Amino acid sequence: MTKLTSTQIDDDPTSYGSKGQSWNPVFVEYMKTIVLHPNYAGMPDAVKDDGKIQWEAPSNRSGGQYKDTHHKRRDWWRSKATEIGVSDSKDQWISRVAKLIHPTGEKPCKRCGRMLRIAYVYPSRHFATRCAKLFGGDMVPDALEDIVPYLQRVVDVRGSTSMRYFPILFQSRTISPPSFGENLDAWFGWIEETFVPSEP
């Protein structure tokens, strides 16, 4: 297999998108970076014959040159999972592998270019509802507000006693949070090292 070079890739944002909407230039540059990164070496059909990056590989293609790309990529992900020690029998195994091999842990939005983390750090509707009950309706996290800055905001506004609600906030079927009292750094460490990777 020949190694791809930067000049072989079409990085014109107007070449990507549909219905008259081009993908953001930041996202197109991100795609190019990922396709050329050694962590993704050998990814099947990453770049088409015309130089365009084939970012998505739907499973329902019925014909054409790239009809088997989805299956070939699934095999590639399975091989990568074995290489890094992730079981392909667990739920969301491809997502786990993707997060572990990702070189930056961030990706831009395809449409607006805003950079976001690929980790489990943004509030679900259930989490936001729980926050409103514990901290008040004016302290609901924004949809794209990372959990750590959000909690810093809660403590800044409501005071350190608000941390007594953190064990309730993070309780789930799979997680029983420890009690760090009012040690915000300990909470932040646990969130990043245990809560976020466990994706409860």
Side-chain angles (χ1 to χ4, degrees):
M1 173 174 283
T2 313
K3 185 176 178 184
L4 282 169
T5 64
S6 181
T7 56
Q8 294 172 293
I9 296 173
D10 180 352
D11 57 7
D12 179 358
T14 62
S15 297
Y16 299 92
S18 60
K19 298 178 184 168
Q21 291 189 346
S22 298
W23 290 356
N24 190 280
V26 173
F27 184 77
V28 173
E29 188 58 36
Y30 164 79
M31 288 194 309
K32 185 175 177 181
T33 299
I34 292 296
V35 165
L36 293 171
H37 196 279
N39 289 2
Y40 304 92
M43 173 69 76
D45 304 327
V47 178
K48 297 194 246 181
D49 291 343
D50 62 3
K52 284 179 62 176
I53 296 167
Q54 186 171 200
W55 193 248
E56 293 148 354
S59 61
N60 60 354
R61 283 186 179 150
S62 56
Q65 180 180 356
Y66 301 106
K67 71 178 175 60
D68 296 321
T69 298
H70 176 82
H71 303 293
K72 290 192 288 186
R73 286 196 181 172
R74 190 170 185 84
D75 291 342
W76 183 91
W77 282 111
R78 186 167 281 114
S79 174
K80 187 62 76 170
T82 300
E83 178 185 319
I84 64 172
V86 172
S87 171
D88 64 359
S89 64
K90 303 221 175 183
D91 288 341
Q92 305 295 319
W93 64 272
I94 291 177
S95 175
R96 284 192 180 96
V97 173
K99 288 172 184 167
L100 287 169
I101 70 168
H102 199 280
T104 65
E106 296 181 318
K107 68 176 274 194
C109 171
K110 185 187 291 189
R111 297 285 181 215
C112 72
R114 179 178 175 171
M115 195 65 72
L116 296 171
R117 289 176 63 186
I118 61 168
Y120 184 82
V121 295
Y122 302 106
S124 66
R125 200 172 334 157
H126 177 72
F127 186 86
T129 300
R130 195 180 276 190
C131 291
K133 285 181 183 173
L134 294 171
F135 308 121
D138 60 331
M139 292 305 298
V140 175
D142 296 329
L144 298 178
E145 187 172 10
D146 188 308
I147 185 75
V148 168
Y150 165 71
L151 292 175
Q152 182 66 64
R153 182 164 65 91
V154 167
V155 171
D156 290 346
V157 173
R158 294 286 189 259
S160 59
T161 58
S162 59
M163 285 185 263
R164 71 177 179 259
Y165 297 112
F166 287 8
I168 300 166
L169 181 64
F170 293 107
Q171 183 70 42
S172 75
R173 284 177 293 153
T174 58
I175 296 278
S176 291
S179 181
F180 295 113
E182 294 186 7
N183 185 337
L184 192 56
D185 289 337
W187 275 111
F188 288 168
W190 176 81
I191 289 164
E192 290 289 355
E193 293 163 23
T194 303
F195 184 77
V196 168
S198 72
E199 300 188 1

